[in-house]
Amino acid sequence: MKKLFLLLLILTSTSYIVNAQSESSDVKKIKAVLEDQRIAWNNGMIKDYMQGYWNSESLVFIGKNGPKYGWQNTLDNYVKGYPDKKAMGFLTFDIKEVRLLNSKNAFVIGAWNLKRESDEPK
């Protein structure tokens, strides 16, 4: 009985370690997408920045003027609102938490900051 209990304990621990490692890998992938977006933005490449967004007409983007719907609409609004690299400024992210909800979804909590000559929106 002791051997069976020890075996179950080892298998459970091994399973937990494997799951924790795969979660860590998923979190790293999510952070890599955000980093790719940051780099694209800072290089003035809005279309490359948009590759981090879900390319769907079901995308909901909430900005200062309320929700906007659709990937293309979001891209169009970015291009209109940030016509050149100067207007885009320098983007940084402060990611506080990445919580994996399931194998296909995550919840990210963080902040963004733009540094421009005349202001610093957050």
Side-chain angles (χ1 to χ4, degrees):
M1 189 64 157
K2 281 185 177 181
K3 288 181 183 180
L4 178 60
F5 176 73
L6 183 58
L7 179 62
L8 288 173
L9 181 62
I10 291 170
L11 289 174
T12 303
S13 298
T14 304
S15 174
Y16 174 77
I17 291 168
V18 169
N19 286 338
Q21 288 173 345
S22 68
E23 288 177 2
S24 177
S25 174
D26 290 340
V27 168
K28 286 178 186 177
K29 288 176 187 175
I30 291 166
K31 288 182 176 181
V33 168
L34 292 166
E35 180 63 8
D36 288 347
Q37 284 188 290
R38 188 191 68 76
I39 291 168
W41 184 273
N42 291 334
N43 286 315
M45 300 166 27
I46 290 178
K47 287 184 182 177
D48 289 346
Y49 172 82
M50 285 295 297
Q51 297 310 303
Y53 281 108
W54 178 35
N55 192 340
S56 169
E57 290 312 304
S58 296
L59 172 73
V60 179
F61 181 88
I62 302 173
K64 66 181 179 181
N65 296 323
K68 303 291 181 196
Y69 300 91
W71 187 92
Q72 186 62 52
N73 192 30
T74 301
L75 172 60
D76 294 344
N77 286 331
Y78 270 129
V79 170
K80 182 179 174 185
Y82 300 95
D84 56 35
K85 197 170 175 180
K86 184 177 178 181
M88 292 173 75
F90 186 81
L91 176 66
T92 57
F93 290 129
D94 181 16
I95 305 304
K96 303 290 186 191
E97 180 180 352
V98 178
R99 185 180 310 158
L100 300 174
L101 302 176
N102 55 44
S103 64
K104 294 185 179 186
N105 298 289
F107 184 75
V108 180
I109 300 171
W112 58 270
N113 182 59
L114 279 183
K115 271 194 180 220
R116 299 188 288 202
E117 286 181 20
S118 60
D119 64 354
E120 194 170 324
K122 301 176 186 229

